[in-house]
Amino acid sequence: MTIGASELKQQIASTQQHINTLLANTIDNLVALPTPLRDAMRHGVLLGGKRVRPFLVYAVGEALNVPKSALDKAAMAVECIHAYSLIHDDLPAMDDDELRRGQPTVHIAYDEATAILAGDALQSLAFELISEPHPHMQAQQQLALVQCLAKAAGYGGMCGGQAMDIAATGKAIDLDTLMTLHKLKTGALIECAVEMAVIMANVNADTQAQFRKYSANIGLAFQVHDDILDIIGDTEQLGKPQGSDLKSDKSTYPQLLGLDQAQQTAQKLVEQALTSVRDLPYNCDILEAFAMYIIERKQ
Amino acid sequence: MTIGASELKQQIASTQQHINTLLANTIDNLVALPTPLRDAMRHGVLLGGKRVRPFLVYAVGEALNVPKSALDKAAMAVECIHAYSLIHDDLPAMDDDELRRGQPTVHIAYDEATAILAGDALQSLAFELISEPHPHMQAQQQLALVQCLAKAAGYGGMCGGQAMDIAATGKAIDLDTLMTLHKLKTGALIECAVEMAVIMANVNADTQAQFRKYSANIGLAFQVHDDILDIIGDTEQLGKPQGSDLKSDKSTYPQLLGLDQAQQTAQKLVEQALTSVRDLPYNCDILEAFAMYIIERKQ
């Protein structure tokens, strides 16, 4: 049975609500200290957002019959890493953004030092969450989650991609470099969200490989479509000024390929993602619907 | 057999050399990317320093008969966290330091964005190192290392302490607050270094408790003596201008207690540290010598 756009939207909204509650409770349970750090972490982690990474953890986990309670920590952890990266990316020394999703960024709502520390502490919190003793998980699995998240977040993943993005700003780069950049900067963490759910499911190597193909393709499609939205979207829906990539002189897929070709590339990536999960002996309807949503979304 | 000052110095120097080689090799083995990020991480992690935390990992681990090869990852990880914290502390939005140990800080040698990312990536690297499959360690132990390091590094440890430090700058704070601040800012990671070695040793609860007392006492003594050195040391030995704490209007132990009383406090803390390990059925000579060194060092 195919899942329609409205059912998917409902499931995404339900995940958003669930993860927001979990994250808010986790932050609120941190011990009180005479500093605004906890509030700044809360602000940064609850700035809204699509919660794509937690959604993938739950969607893949549920397709593979992992109990939802065993997925919560991984979903929170991957979102803490994503949230910290946004806090640091928004800093004056990086993208210098004062607004994110229509709200003041952390260094505007607090100050730069607090924003740096809030990001740092959210990264630690991610690893704290997935290494806490858990009744439904084996140490071996949890350790694999840590390894997966650390690799995806670090030099060989998100941080390296962000550094490549900075190095590429204002320069002409080729398509291969742009793809590597995005595979690291945004793809690594999206792939990690899927991989963490797979780790908890103890599935065979072939299934693992199919899910890796799925996540690699949707990760890249996500970025290509983001670049397209930056040209054709409008500011109100994006939460950032339209054309901001052009203004900051960053290379984008539409710039390198032309808009039509970029749209075809995104389409092809999504088709590859669909192919990789279509014949698995699991109900992946929600993952198929999500892959299609990636290139249909308006924000 | 008591260990003399020169033998201790030799052991500290030997640990420095060992850990510097391990860290340099680890960074050099990271995949090459078209960004200065790897060089910046290398610069930050190899700026020198006493390597107190790795020294404690090895000294406690060896006292408890843990093979050295099983200690390497933990020693590197705790130093990666320490190094990242220094990179971020040195940023203009934080302490705004251009020199550390006589060398340009990371944001001076590179730029602010790269320094932020180098710190972020070193934190991830720390967790990557201790979660890598290891032939001499059980998953359960490795997971406990991750949990220990994440707690020590995060909001309830180092990051929280640094935020308290910022909040306290320019304000009068009482001795209890200063002690909490330092217990988090520097104590947590020192305690974690000792705890990680203890985790790998599988010792009984009483021994664990004695090592916790040891590390809590030396952690605090370390900071009290640092504050004392800031008053009585000279710039060349400290690598930073003498009296820099006074200039930046931070509360210190000598300021709150007077110099004499601060020195007595440090002395008392070291005596408590010595008491806690003296009667254990392990050879803790090196740890006793190290506790005494903490309040005798000139830098």
Side-chain angles (χ1 to χ4, degrees), chain B residues 174-254:
Chain B
D174 62 20
L175 190 61
D176 275 356
T177 309
L178 186 66
M179 284 177 74
T180 303
L181 187 167
H182 286 306
K183 192 168 168 53
L184 298 179
K185 187 181 170 180
T186 52
L189 210 55
I190 287 174
E191 291 177 44
C192 171
V194 171
E195 184 81 14
M196 289 206 292
V198 170
I199 287 168
M200 285 185 280
N202 285 327
V203 292
N204 66 34
D206 181 56
T207 301
Q208 285 175 26
Q210 294 307 105
F211 275 104
R212 279 191 199 123
K213 279 186 208 160
Y214 172 83
S215 63
N217 282 307
I218 62 165
L220 200 47
F222 192 85
Q223 188 58 51
V224 176
H225 191 67
D226 254 8
D227 285 358
I228 292 167
L229 280 180
D230 191 66
I231 291 178
I232 65 173
D234 66 49
T235 303
E236 200 185 331
Q237 280 187 312
L238 286 174
K240 64 177 179 179
Q242 180 198 344
S244 63
D245 289 342
L246 286 176
K247 252 190 295 177
S248 67
D249 202 10
K250 289 190 175 181
S251 294
T252 67
Y253 291 95

Side-chain angles (χ1 to χ4, degrees), chain A residues 42-123:
Chain A
R42 198 183 205 283
H43 182 83
V45 95
L46 292 174
L47 263 179
K50 297 179 281 288
R51 309 301 191 190
V52 164
R53 294 152 196 82
F55 177 84
L56 284 168
V57 173
Y58 291 115
V60 174
E62 285 169 22
L64 298 175
N65 306 312
V66 182
K68 193 169 181 178
S69 68
L71 299 166
D72 286 338
K73 294 289 173 76
M76 280 195 280
V78 72
E79 194 63 12
C80 283
I81 294 288
H82 179 58
Y84 114 67
S85 77
L86 298 183
I87 296 172
H88 283 188
D89 285 3
D90 287 337
L91 286 166
M94 307 269 262
D95 292 347
D96 195 14
D97 281 320
E98 299 194 354
L99 285 179
R100 179 170 287 277
R101 299 173 193 128
Q103 292 182 68
T105 48
V106 177
H107 68 276
I108 297 296
Y110 297 87
D111 57 49
E112 273 185 63
T114 305
I116 294 167
L117 287 170
D120 291 344
L122 283 171
Q123 178 166 195

